[in-house]
Amino acid sequence: MRLHQPIRRARIFTTAAAIVSLSVSAFGQTGQSRVAGITQSAAQGLALQPGESLRRLSIDDAVKMGLEQNLGIQIQRFDPQIQDTAVSQARSFWSPQVSATLSKQSQSQAVTNSLAGGATSINNGNFFTGANLNQTLPWGGSYSANFNNQRVTTNNLFTTFSPQIASNVNFQYTQPLLRNFSIDAIRQQVAISKKGRELSDIQLDAVITSTMRNVKNAYWDLSTSINNLKAQQESLALAQQSLRDNRKRVEIGTLAPIDIVQAQAEVASNEERVIVAEAAIKRAQDNLRALILDPGATDFWTTAFEPSDAAPFQEQAIDIDAAVRNALDKRSDLRSAKNSVERSDIDIRYLRNQILPDINAQATYIARGVGGVQLSPLSPDAVLTGNFNRTILANRGYGSVLGDVFQSAYPDWTVGVQIAYPLGSSTSHANLARARLEYQQAQTQLKSMQLQIATQVRESGRNVQTNQKRVQSARASRELQEKKLEAEEKKQAAGMSTSFFVFQAQRDLAQARTAEIQAISDYNKSLVDFEAVQLAPVTGNAGFVSIAGQGSVAGQVSR
């Protein structure tokens, strides 16, 4: 027995060495070499559905495509054109109005006295032509010019001309001296329509800024979802490797069969997380696709994107005070509010002008000319004797009539001032009082908005700093979890630990990887938001720290 005891000890030592060697071969691949191998085998690229095509896309290309094809921007670009028509419509009230009249009148009257020269009726005919030009001028004055011509025929014995040709030019100008002098309803409408045009540009800038922000964040969301899938695939590969190692240990009798069930449960749990992560990629693809592609394109739903830019982590110094000053100068909502105050100021100017007395200076000039066939007048003796025969004294044609008109042979002019003022209170006073109160209210709201904007910018800047620290902390946590898993694997290989602690270390490492991926994504998105919040309002909490201190990556591992 004593001779065989050394031999038995040698056999036991040899068996133990073989077991340790087997364990080391399974778990000894520690550190970055093992992680890199799993990463390379776990995710070689995006899984495409039948009919899909893969397109590599940089973040700059994504922004460029969004600016060209985003439907929200295309819709908003119509608004400045619509406002241009509103400005043109307001200016149209200054355009001259031309009108013309052409008429012919025939009239027959019964004879009511004995001076008709034996006629049974008095017949009158009138052929009239006229042209009229009216215009309200940009400085408040208005004019009207008329050029009228007519030819009158009659068998009345007491008319001087038959037929009679008459022509006249009538020019009238009115200039407000107080009310409607510096501003009137037309100038008010033109000024407000111009402010509306400026507002449409501000709103277009806001939509462009918001779209660029959404495109960048959607790009980082897709990149994060892809990296998260790789992290879940790495965790699945670790669990599958542990399952294979446990089966080998059960075969050689160093591990209980129940440990295989635990390893299988861990594999199933990781497979579920991979499925959820793959669904998150599809969702991120749809979000990015809707922002940068034309829905009318035939390949809209079959184009898949592969981000060519990895989410970087570059520490940046944040000047919050400078950002606040920039936001107070360029924020679209603040510019819109200032635009609204300026429109209210225009209304106040108009209403203040409307309470002034209505004093108008007026000038009228008329030039006339009369011609035709001039007949001799009837004398009283001729009327008593019934001798109604008349001779032609002159025949003045239309040219002679126009000569009298344009040479001002018979001028008629009038100059005067018209004054009107309501007694007691008027609607204009009430409207002015209301507008002033609303103006003061808008000024106070503007100050409140400036405070809110400064608060938002400061919060966004602090969020960048917080996410920067999160990345550093998450990176350190991931590195420590890798060392922890390495230590647990070595301890299990030496028989000093169990599968439970190895699986716990794997879950901790998976969570640390996901947290690091999310922290980097949140950091980059917070930089996007910090840039955007200085130009336009930022809605949503993209890139902001959640209540739990971590983002909401789909498929995130939890204990």
Side-chain angles (χ1 to χ4, degrees):
M1 293 296 293
R2 291 182 179 179
L3 294 176
H4 294 287
Q5 188 173 5
I7 298 175
R8 291 181 60 188
R9 290 178 179 177
R11 290 178 179 177
I12 295 173
F13 178 78
T14 303
T15 304
I19 294 174
V20 171
S21 176
L22 178 62
S23 301
V24 170
S25 66
F27 292 93
Q29 302 176 21
T30 59
Q32 295 183 355
S33 60
R34 182 178 183 187
V35 173
I38 294 175
T39 302
Q40 183 177 4
S41 61
Q44 296 293 337
L46 293 176
L48 299 179
Q49 298 296 326
E52 283 189 339
S53 59
L54 187 63
R55 177 174 180 176
R56 288 182 58 83
L57 186 71
S58 68
I59 191 168
D60 292 335
D61 291 338
V63 171
K64 182 179 179 181
M65 293 172 63
L67 294 177
E68 292 175 352
Q69 303 186 83
N70 183 265
L71 290 180
I73 294 179
Q74 293 182 23
I75 293 171
Q76 191 61 38
R77 279 176 177 158
F78 284 103
D79 196 54
Q81 303 176 40
I82 295 173
Q83 294 302 320
D84 284 337
T85 63
V87 175
S88 300
Q89 182 180 9
R91 287 179 171 274
S92 66
F93 292 102
W94 287 332
S95 302
Q97 304 293 323
V98 179
S99 61
T101 303
L102 176 66
S103 65
K104 183 177 182 180
Q105 181 183 17
S106 178
Q107 182 184 52
S108 180
Q109 297 178 342
V111 176
T112 58
N113 56 63
S114 59
L115 302 178
T120 58
S121 62
I122 302 299
N123 299 320
N124 299 316
N126 188 347
F127 181 76
F128 177 85
T129 61
N132 182 40
L133 177 65
N134 297 308
Q135 184 179 12
T136 299
L137 300 171
W139 54 86
S142 61
Y143 70 86
S144 64
N146 303 282
F147 179 48
N148 301 319
N149 300 274
Q150 63 178 349
R151 183 178 184 275
V152 179
T153 59
T154 182
N155 60 353
N156 191 332
L157 296 176
F158 295 96
T159 187
T160 303
F161 292 89
S162 183
Q164 176 180 303
I165 299 174
S167 181
N168 69 78
V169 171
N170 187 334
F171 181 81
Q172 183 177 9
Y173 181 79
T174 301
Q175 176 61 54
L177 300 179
L178 285 179
R179 185 188 299 177
N180 297 325
F181 176 74
S182 59
I183 187 172
D184 55 15
I186 299 178
R187 280 176 282 181
Q188 177 204 24
Q189 189 62 37
V190 170
I192 289 179
S193 62
K194 288 181 178 179
K195 291 299 177 183
R197 177 61 173 82
E198 294 176 4
L199 180 61
S200 66
D201 286 337
I202 295 173
Q203 292 172 342
L204 178 59
D205 291 342
V207 172
I208 290 175
T209 300
S210 177
T211 301
M212 291 175 60
R213 177 237 179 191
N214 292 337
V215 169
K216 291 179 180 179
N217 284 341
Y219 185 91
W220 294 132
D221 283 340
L222 177 59
S223 177
T224 301
S225 298
I226 294 174
N227 290 333
N228 183 63
L229 173 62
K230 293 179 180 179
Q232 303 309 321
Q233 289 173 332
E234 291 171 7
S235 299
L236 175 60
L238 285 173
Q240 291 171 341
Q241 182 64 44
S242 297
L243 176 60
R244 289 191 294 267
D245 293 338
N246 285 356
R247 283 173 175 169
K248 292 179 180 179
R249 291 192 182 94
V250 170
E251 290 176 359
I252 62 178
T254 61
L255 197 66
I258 190 64
D259 288 331
I260 295 180
V261 177
Q262 185 179 8
Q264 289 174 337
E266 191 69 19
V267 170
S269 177
N270 282 279
E271 287 176 346
E272 177 190 3
R273 297 188 183 101
V274 169
I275 293 172
V276 173
E278 289 174 344
I281 292 178
K282 298 299 181 182
R283 186 162 51 251
Q285 291 277 10
D286 285 345
N287 292 338
L288 182 60
R289 186 182 294 117
L291 287 169
I292 66 175
L293 290 184
D294 180 9
T298 57
D299 59 346
F300 179 79
W301 294 110
T302 58
T303 300
F305 298 107
E306 180 183 5
S308 60
D309 295 332
F313 176 63
Q314 299 175 351
E315 298 184 13
Q316 297 186 16
I318 302 299
D319 190 344
I320 295 180
D321 293 334
V324 170
R325 291 192 298 269
N326 188 49
L328 294 179
D329 181 55
K330 298 180 180 180
R331 268 280 289 250
S332 60
D333 51 348
L334 189 60
R335 291 163 60 196
S336 298
K338 291 179 179 178
N339 181 276
S340 178
V341 171
E342 292 170 355
R343 283 185 291 173
S344 298
D345 185 65
I346 294 172
D347 291 335
I348 291 177
R349 284 177 51 211
Y350 171 71
L351 294 172
R352 187 188 299 120
N353 181 267
Q354 293 305 295
I355 66 175
L356 298 175
D358 189 9
I359 302 178
N360 296 318
Q362 296 179 339
T364 304
Y365 172 80
I366 303 175
R368 298 183 178 91
V370 179
V373 178
Q374 184 177 5
L375 302 175
S376 60
L378 290 175
S379 63
D381 293 338
V383 173
L384 293 175
T385 59
N387 183 14
F388 297 110
N389 294 325
R390 308 174 67 184
T391 60
I392 297 175
L393 300 180
N395 189 352
R396 304 186 73 243
Y398 182 65
S400 300
V401 174
L402 289 180
D404 292 342
V405 172
F406 292 108
Q407 292 176 11
S408 190
Y410 309 101
D412 182 0
W413 56 267
T414 303
V415 177
V417 176
Q418 183 181 25
I419 301 176
Y421 188 77
L423 298 177
S425 60
S426 64
T427 304
S428 299
H429 286 83
N431 291 336
L432 177 60
R434 179 184 179 89
R436 282 174 172 169
L437 291 174
E438 292 177 346
Y439 183 80
Q440 294 175 1
Q441 184 184 46
Q443 290 280 15
T444 306
Q445 291 173 346
L446 188 61
K447 294 179 181 178
S448 176
M449 180 176 292
Q450 290 173 339
L451 177 60
Q452 293 175 6
I453 289 174
T455 303
Q456 292 173 5
V457 174
R458 292 174 63 85
E459 176 65 22
S460 182
R462 286 193 296 266
N463 187 58
V464 173
Q465 297 170 346
T466 300
N467 286 329
Q468 183 172 297
K469 295 177 181 178
R470 283 180 58 207
V471 173
Q472 297 169 349
S473 176
R475 180 166 293 175
S477 175
R478 187 259 306 163
E479 292 173 351
L480 292 174
Q481 293 298 339
E482 289 178 348
K483 294 180 180 180
K484 176 183 176 182
L485 175 60
E486 179 182 352
E488 289 296 335
E489 289 174 342
K490 288 182 178 179
K491 289 167 63 177
Q492 185 185 30
M496 300 173 62
S497 181
T498 64
S499 298
F500 173 80
F501 293 105
V502 173
F503 292 144
Q504 185 66 50
Q506 290 178 358
R507 286 193 293 268
D508 291 342
L509 176 58
Q511 176 130 7
R513 286 171 176 167
T514 304
E516 180 184 11
I517 293 170
Q518 183 62 49
I520 294 176
S521 174
D522 287 349
Y523 174 72
N524 284 279
K525 291 168 68 175
S526 64
L527 287 175
V528 173
D529 288 343
F530 183 68
E531 179 183 357
V533 78
Q534 301 176 48
L535 301 176
V538 172
T539 58
N541 63 340
F544 282 76
V545 181
S546 65
I547 296 177
Q550 295 179 347
S552 56
V553 170
Q556 180 175 335
V557 178
S558 60
R559 294 189 181 184

